[in-house]
């Protein structure tokens, strides 16, 4: 967890540096961007984050290989709009809800209480928690939603940690 925290902190700090840092960053490094960099990719296998002005550029800057699978895309707006955060890893999710991957602090990557819609892929679902480290209330397992405010007691702009299965 300390390595993931260090990578996420580096990514968040590099976002403050500006577009110059993004242009100079090697393709496999954790990269940040200026405020116009609205799209990020998280490799759940390596815990590295890469951000850019568009989703394709963020994926190119990330350390994901050609076989990496997208398991979920978070959107800042309802209706699958706004900034995105794409979660990738090397294998499909299994049918059981056993939390195969997780992120215990969405604030580390700038997504605390920011998620408004989500799409899932490769048999994966997400479970949201309103506290860090999977504390507090949790959602049901979500296969996808264009408006998280309509899930349970409302999950629009509420998630602080997430599990994937």
């Amino acid at each position: 967890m300390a390595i993931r925290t260090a990578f996420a902190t580096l990514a968040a700090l590099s976002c403050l540096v500006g577009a110059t840092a993004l242009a100079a960053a090697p393709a496999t490094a954790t990269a940040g961007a200026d405020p116009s960099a609205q799209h990020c990719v998280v490799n759940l296998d390596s815990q590295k984050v890469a951000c850019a002005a568009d989703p394709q550029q963020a994926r190119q800057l990330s350390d994901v290989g050609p076989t990496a699978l997208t398991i979920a895309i978070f959107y800042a707006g309802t209706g699958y709009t706004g900034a995105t955060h794409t979660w990738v890893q090397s294998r499909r999710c299994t049918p059981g809800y056993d939390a195969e991957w997780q992120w215990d602090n969405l604030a580390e990557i700038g997504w605390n209480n920011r998620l408004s819609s989500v799409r899932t892929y490769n048999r994966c679902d997400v479970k949201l928690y309103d506290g860090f480290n999977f504390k507090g209330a949790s959602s049901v397992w979500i296969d996808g939603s264009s408006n998280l405010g309509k899930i349970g007691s409302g999950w629009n702009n509420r998630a602080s940690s997430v599990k994937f299965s």
Side-chain angles (χ1 to χ4, degrees):
M1 182 173 357
I3 292 172
R4 185 187 77 223
T5 301
F7 280 124
T9 302
L10 178 60
L13 289 174
S14 62
C15 285
L16 300 174
V17 174
T20 305
L22 176 61
T28 58
T30 299
D34 65 20
S36 67
Q38 295 286 322
H39 305 280
C40 296
V41 173
V42 177
N43 183 335
L44 287 164
D45 294 327
S46 69
Q47 305 295 307
K48 291 184 180 179
V49 180
C51 300
D54 65 67
Q56 293 77 21
Q57 186 181 22
R59 193 167 180 105
Q60 289 172 346
L61 289 172
S62 72
D63 68 338
V64 301
T67 59
L69 299 172
T70 298
I71 62 167
I73 300 176
F74 288 1
Y75 296 85
T78 58
Y80 311 115
T81 61
T84 63
H85 213 93
T86 302
W87 301 85
V88 300
Q89 47 78 33
S90 60
R91 58 187 163 83
R92 291 176 172 258
C93 293
T94 59
Y97 294 122
D98 51 1
E100 296 159 85
W101 296 274
Q102 56 192 29
W103 202 272
D104 62 6
N105 184 345
L106 291 173
E108 293 175 335
I109 54 175
W111 275 80
N112 186 45
N113 298 328
R114 189 173 175 200
L115 175 60
S116 295
S117 54
V118 62
R119 284 191 168 134
T120 60
Y121 303 88
N122 292 300
R123 299 188 318 210
C124 294
D125 292 329
V126 298
K127 188 170 195 169
L128 308 173
Y129 294 80
D130 67 1
F132 299 118
N133 298 309
F134 320 107
K135 304 282 190 227
S138 63
S139 71
V140 296
W141 286 99
I142 302 167
D143 186 39
S145 173
S146 65
N147 184 351
L148 289 170
K150 296 181 178 183
I151 300 290
S153 58
W155 282 91
N156 190 36
N157 297 327
R158 186 174 168 192
S160 295
S161 54
V162 61
K163 292 184 178 184
F164 302 90
S165 184

